[in-house]
Amino acid sequence: MELLAIVAHPDDADIFCGGTLAKHADRGDTVTIAHMTKGEYGGFETTEESVAATRAGEARRSGEYLGATDVTFLGFPDGRIEYSLENRLELVDTIREHTPDLILTHYRDDLHPDHRVTARLVTDAYYMASLPLVETDHDPCDPDNVYFFGKPTSSFDPSVAIDITGYEDQKAAAIAAHESQVSFLEEHGGIDGEFDNLVDGVAAEDTTLGKQTGVASAEGYVPLHEQAEEYLG
C-alpha cells in the first residue's frame, strides 16, 4: 500500500497523522510526505530563505523518525497558497507522480488559510487525477480515498480513529525534530497560544481520542468516502 500525506507546512504531518504514517511504514507500506510550503513564515528575526532551509532540514529528519520513504516540497509560498486551476493541476500531477492508494490531508474547516486551501486543492485534484483527458506530466491514477485530519472543532468530528498505540514515542520524536518550529510556537502568543507545550499537547489529544475509542492513543480522520474506511488502520 502507498500513502501520500499532502500537508501545508513542515510539522503538520507529524502533528496530525504522524502515528498513522509510522504505523503504515512499520508494516512495510510506502509513505510519502509532500509539503506544500517550507514554512518560511514560521520564524523570528531572520530571512524567509533561512527559515525555509532550517524547516526543510527538520522535515527531512522528522520523516526519518516516521519511516517515510520520501519527503518532498512542492514550492508553494507559505501563507499565500491560492486556489487556482494551475495549482489544482500541480496537485493532480503530484498525486499521479506518487500513485498513492490513500491520501491524507487537512480538513476544510481550519483557522489557517493554507490548511483550508490545501484541503480544497487536494480534494479537487483527487477527483481529477484519474481523468485521462486531464493532461499533466504523469499518467492518470485512481487513489482509493482521501482521509482528512484536523484540530478538534465544532465541525471536525472524526468518524475514523486509528489506533497508534506503540507509535507515540516515534510521533513525539518526529514533532520534536522540528526544533525551530516548536520554539517558535511556544514563544508565539495569540492565536497559537494552544501550542505552549506542543509535544505534550498533541499527545494529550491523542490520548483523549484513544480513551473515547477504547485504545491507549489514536488519531482521528474524516474519510471522503465512508465505504473505504477499512483501508486505513
Side-chain angles (χ1 to χ4, degrees), residues 61-80:
R61 287 192 292 276
S62 71
E64 293 177 1
Y65 282 113
L66 298 179
T69 306
D70 187 22
V71 173
T72 188
F73 303 90
L74 304 183
F76 290 89
D78 188 17
R80 294 151 287 177

PDB file of all heavy atoms in Angstrom, residues 61-80:
ATOM      1  N   ARG A  61      14.458  15.218   8.650  1.00  0.00           N
ATOM      2  CA  ARG A  61      14.815  14.418   9.830  1.00  0.00           C
ATOM      3  C   ARG A  61      13.577  13.808  10.471  1.00  0.00           C
ATOM      4  O   ARG A  61      13.596  12.642  10.886  1.00  0.00           O
ATOM      5  CB  ARG A  61      15.568  15.287  10.848  1.00  0.00           C
ATOM      6  CG  ARG A  61      16.991  15.617  10.434  1.00  0.00           C
ATOM      7  CD  ARG A  61      17.787  16.211  11.581  1.00  0.00           C
ATOM      8  NE  ARG A  61      17.300  17.530  11.953  1.00  0.00           N
ATOM      9  CZ  ARG A  61      17.670  18.655  11.337  1.00  0.00           C
ATOM     10  NH1 ARG A  61      18.512  18.622  10.317  1.00  0.00           N
ATOM     11  NH2 ARG A  61      17.210  19.822  11.749  1.00  0.00           N
ATOM     12  N   SER A  62      12.509  14.572  10.557  1.00  0.00           N
ATOM     13  CA  SER A  62      11.287  14.033  11.157  1.00  0.00           C
ATOM     14  C   SER A  62      10.718  12.906  10.309  1.00  0.00           C
ATOM     15  O   SER A  62      10.178  11.926  10.830  1.00  0.00           O
ATOM     16  CB  SER A  62      10.242  15.143  11.334  1.00  0.00           C
ATOM     17  OG  SER A  62       9.712  15.562  10.095  1.00  0.00           O
ATOM     18  N   GLY A  63      10.855  13.014   8.987  1.00  0.00           N
ATOM     19  CA  GLY A  63      10.409  11.943   8.111  1.00  0.00           C
ATOM     20  C   GLY A  63      11.154  10.646   8.375  1.00  0.00           C
ATOM     21  O   GLY A  63      10.576   9.559   8.273  1.00  0.00           O
ATOM     22  N   GLU A  64      12.421  10.747   8.734  1.00  0.00           N
ATOM     23  CA  GLU A  64      13.200   9.560   9.082  1.00  0.00           C
ATOM     24  C   GLU A  64      12.640   8.899  10.337  1.00  0.00           C
ATOM     25  O   GLU A  64      12.558   7.667  10.416  1.00  0.00           O
ATOM     26  CB  GLU A  64      14.665   9.929   9.282  1.00  0.00           C
ATOM     27  CG  GLU A  64      15.376  10.375   8.004  1.00  0.00           C
ATOM     28  CD  GLU A  64      16.807  10.796   8.260  1.00  0.00           C
ATOM     29  OE1 GLU A  64      17.257  10.718   9.434  1.00  0.00           O
ATOM     30  OE2 GLU A  64      17.480  11.208   7.295  1.00  0.00           O
ATOM     31  N   TYR A  65      12.248   9.693  11.320  1.00  0.00           N
ATOM     32  CA  TYR A  65      11.648   9.130  12.530  1.00  0.00           C
ATOM     33  C   TYR A  65      10.364   8.367  12.202  1.00  0.00           C
ATOM     34  O   TYR A  65      10.067   7.344  12.826  1.00  0.00           O
ATOM     35  CB  TYR A  65      11.331  10.232  13.543  1.00  0.00           C
ATOM     36  CG  TYR A  65      12.521  10.737  14.323  1.00  0.00           C
ATOM     37  CD1 TYR A  65      12.981  12.031  14.155  1.00  0.00           C
ATOM     38  CD2 TYR A  65      13.189   9.917  15.237  1.00  0.00           C
ATOM     39  CE1 TYR A  65      14.073  12.509  14.875  1.00  0.00           C
ATOM     40  CE2 TYR A  65      14.270  10.382  15.959  1.00  0.00           C
ATOM     41  CZ  TYR A  65      14.710  11.673  15.765  1.00  0.00           C
ATOM     42  OH  TYR A  65      15.800  12.130  16.484  1.00  0.00           O
ATOM     43  N   LEU A  66       9.596   8.870  11.243  1.00  0.00           N
ATOM     44  CA  LEU A  66       8.318   8.246  10.897  1.00  0.00           C
ATOM     45  C   LEU A  66       8.465   7.094   9.911  1.00  0.00           C
ATOM     46  O   LEU A  66       7.501   6.385   9.655  1.00  0.00           O
ATOM     47  CB  LEU A  66       7.363   9.297  10.312  1.00  0.00           C
ATOM     48  CG  LEU A  66       6.987  10.451  11.233  1.00  0.00           C
ATOM     49  CD1 LEU A  66       6.051  11.414  10.510  1.00  0.00           C
ATOM     50  CD2 LEU A  66       6.342   9.939  12.526  1.00  0.00           C
ATOM     51  N   GLY A  67       9.659   6.919   9.357  1.00  0.00           N
ATOM     52  CA  GLY A  67       9.861   5.857   8.387  1.00  0.00           C
ATOM     53  C   GLY A  67       9.404   6.202   6.988  1.00  0.00           C
ATOM     54  O   GLY A  67       9.166   5.303   6.169  1.00  0.00           O
ATOM     55  N   ALA A  68       9.288   7.492   6.694  1.00  0.00           N
ATOM     56  CA  ALA A  68       8.831   7.915   5.370  1.00  0.00           C
ATOM     57  C   ALA A  68       9.840   7.512   4.303  1.00  0.00           C
ATOM     58  O   ALA A  68      11.052   7.649   4.482  1.00  0.00           O
ATOM     59  CB  ALA A  68       8.610   9.419   5.335  1.00  0.00           C
ATOM     60  N   THR A  69       9.318   7.043   3.179  1.00  0.00           N
ATOM     61  CA  THR A  69      10.148   6.690   2.039  1.00  0.00           C
ATOM     62  C   THR A  69      10.665   7.933   1.336  1.00  0.00           C
ATOM     63  O   THR A  69      11.794   7.963   0.834  1.00  0.00           O
ATOM     64  CB  THR A  69       9.344   5.835   1.044  1.00  0.00           C
ATOM     65  OG1 THR A  69       8.794   4.706   1.736  1.00  0.00           O
ATOM     66  CG2 THR A  69      10.211   5.355  -0.105  1.00  0.00           C
ATOM     67  N   ASP A  70       9.834   8.975   1.299  1.00  0.00           N
ATOM     68  CA  ASP A  70      10.191  10.199   0.585  1.00  0.00           C
ATOM     69  C   ASP A  70       9.594  11.392   1.308  1.00  0.00           C
ATOM     70  O   ASP A  70       8.462  11.339   1.798  1.00  0.00           O
ATOM     71  CB  ASP A  70       9.666  10.127  -0.857  1.00  0.00           C
ATOM     72  CG  ASP A  70      10.135  11.293  -1.724  1.00  0.00           C
ATOM     73  OD1 ASP A  70      11.168  11.905  -1.380  1.00  0.00           O
ATOM     74  OD2 ASP A  70       9.483  11.580  -2.733  1.00  0.00           O
ATOM     75  N   VAL A  71      10.363  12.470   1.391  1.00  0.00           N
ATOM     76  CA  VAL A  71       9.906  13.753   1.925  1.00  0.00           C
ATOM     77  C   VAL A  71      10.186  14.791   0.848  1.00  0.00           C
ATOM     78  O   VAL A  71      11.334  14.967   0.440  1.00  0.00           O
ATOM     79  CB  VAL A  71      10.641  14.114   3.232  1.00  0.00           C
ATOM     80  CG1 VAL A  71      10.269  15.524   3.673  1.00  0.00           C
ATOM     81  CG2 VAL A  71      10.324  13.109   4.327  1.00  0.00           C
ATOM     82  N   THR A  72       9.132  15.453   0.378  1.00  0.00           N
ATOM     83  CA  THR A  72       9.294  16.359  -0.753  1.00  0.00           C
ATOM     84  C   THR A  72       8.610  17.690  -0.478  1.00  0.00           C
ATOM     85  O   THR A  72       7.782  17.806   0.434  1.00  0.00           O
ATOM     86  CB  THR A  72       8.719  15.713  -2.046  1.00  0.00           C
ATOM     87  OG1 THR A  72       9.036  16.522  -3.164  1.00  0.00           O
ATOM     88  CG2 THR A  72       7.211  15.535  -1.943  1.00  0.00           C
ATOM     89  N   PHE A  73       8.961  18.691  -1.289  1.00  0.00           N
ATOM     90  CA  PHE A  73       8.436  20.047  -1.119  1.00  0.00           C
ATOM     91  C   PHE A  73       7.943  20.547  -2.469  1.00  0.00           C
ATOM     92  O   PHE A  73       8.661  20.443  -3.479  1.00  0.00           O
ATOM     93  CB  PHE A  73       9.519  20.972  -0.558  1.00  0.00           C
ATOM     94  CG  PHE A  73      10.085  20.487   0.745  1.00  0.00           C
ATOM     95  CD1 PHE A  73      11.182  19.637   0.760  1.00  0.00           C
ATOM     96  CD2 PHE A  73       9.503  20.854   1.942  1.00  0.00           C
ATOM     97  CE1 PHE A  73      11.699  19.159   1.951  1.00  0.00           C
ATOM     98  CE2 PHE A  73      10.016  20.379   3.140  1.00  0.00           C
ATOM     99  CZ  PHE A  73      11.110  19.530   3.143  1.00  0.00           C
ATOM    100  N   LEU A  74       6.732  21.080  -2.493  1.00  0.00           N
ATOM    101  CA  LEU A  74       6.078  21.429  -3.753  1.00  0.00           C
ATOM    102  C   LEU A  74       6.294  22.878  -4.169  1.00  0.00           C
ATOM    103  O   LEU A  74       5.924  23.254  -5.276  1.00  0.00           O
ATOM    104  CB  LEU A  74       4.584  21.123  -3.659  1.00  0.00           C
ATOM    105  CG  LEU A  74       4.241  19.670  -3.295  1.00  0.00           C
ATOM    106  CD1 LEU A  74       2.733  19.456  -3.302  1.00  0.00           C
ATOM    107  CD2 LEU A  74       4.933  18.684  -4.236  1.00  0.00           C
ATOM    108  N   GLY A  75       6.850  23.700  -3.297  1.00  0.00           N
ATOM    109  CA  GLY A  75       7.260  25.039  -3.696  1.00  0.00           C
ATOM    110  C   GLY A  75       6.207  26.126  -3.637  1.00  0.00           C
ATOM    111  O   GLY A  75       6.415  27.217  -4.175  1.00  0.00           O
ATOM    112  N   PHE A  76       5.095  25.871  -2.971  1.00  0.00           N
ATOM    113  CA  PHE A  76       4.090  26.925  -2.803  1.00  0.00           C
ATOM    114  C   PHE A  76       4.562  27.905  -1.715  1.00  0.00           C
ATOM    115  O   PHE A  76       5.286  27.512  -0.797  1.00  0.00           O
ATOM    116  CB  PHE A  76       2.741  26.326  -2.416  1.00  0.00           C
ATOM    117  CG  PHE A  76       2.071  25.547  -3.502  1.00  0.00           C
ATOM    118  CD1 PHE A  76       2.308  24.187  -3.659  1.00  0.00           C
ATOM    119  CD2 PHE A  76       1.213  26.175  -4.393  1.00  0.00           C
ATOM    120  CE1 PHE A  76       1.699  23.460  -4.666  1.00  0.00           C
ATOM    121  CE2 PHE A  76       0.595  25.458  -5.404  1.00  0.00           C
ATOM    122  CZ  PHE A  76       0.843  24.102  -5.544  1.00  0.00           C
ATOM    123  N   PRO A  77       4.143  29.168  -1.781  1.00  0.00           N
ATOM    124  CA  PRO A  77       4.584  30.150  -0.791  1.00  0.00           C
ATOM    125  C   PRO A  77       3.803  30.051   0.515  1.00  0.00           C
ATOM    126  O   PRO A  77       2.572  29.992   0.517  1.00  0.00           O
ATOM    127  CB  PRO A  77       4.314  31.495  -1.484  1.00  0.00           C
ATOM    128  CG  PRO A  77       3.158  31.212  -2.400  1.00  0.00           C
ATOM    129  CD  PRO A  77       3.338  29.795  -2.864  1.00  0.00           C
ATOM    130  N   ASP A  78       4.515  30.031   1.615  1.00  0.00           N
ATOM    131  CA  ASP A  78       3.890  29.919   2.931  1.00  0.00           C
ATOM    132  C   ASP A  78       2.952  31.101   3.182  1.00  0.00           C
ATOM    133  O   ASP A  78       3.299  32.264   2.941  1.00  0.00           O
ATOM    134  CB  ASP A  78       4.980  29.881   4.002  1.00  0.00           C
ATOM    135  CG  ASP A  78       4.434  29.581   5.386  1.00  0.00           C
ATOM    136  OD1 ASP A  78       3.300  29.094   5.498  1.00  0.00           O
ATOM    137  OD2 ASP A  78       5.169  29.814   6.371  1.00  0.00           O
ATOM    138  N   GLY A  79       1.749  30.780   3.652  1.00  0.00           N
ATOM    139  CA  GLY A  79       0.773  31.814   3.969  1.00  0.00           C
ATOM    140  C   GLY A  79       0.092  32.417   2.770  1.00  0.00           C
ATOM    141  O   GLY A  79      -0.774  33.281   2.911  1.00  0.00           O
ATOM    142  N   ARG A  80       0.459  31.949   1.560  1.00  0.00           N
ATOM    143  CA  ARG A  80      -0.060  32.566   0.338  1.00  0.00           C
ATOM    144  C   ARG A  80      -0.496  31.529  -0.682  1.00  0.00           C
ATOM    145  O   ARG A  80      -0.534  31.793  -1.889  1.00  0.00           O
ATOM    146  CB  ARG A  80       1.014  33.467  -0.272  1.00  0.00           C
ATOM    147  CG  ARG A  80       1.375  34.690   0.578  1.00  0.00           C
ATOM    148  CD  ARG A  80       2.809  35.120   0.365  1.00  0.00           C
ATOM    149  NE  ARG A  80       3.746  34.194   1.007  1.00  0.00           N
ATOM    150  CZ  ARG A  80       5.069  34.311   0.928  1.00  0.00           C
ATOM    151  NH1 ARG A  80       5.610  35.299   0.232  1.00  0.00           N
ATOM    152  NH2 ARG A  80       5.858  33.441   1.525  1.00  0.00           N
TER     153      ARG A  80
END
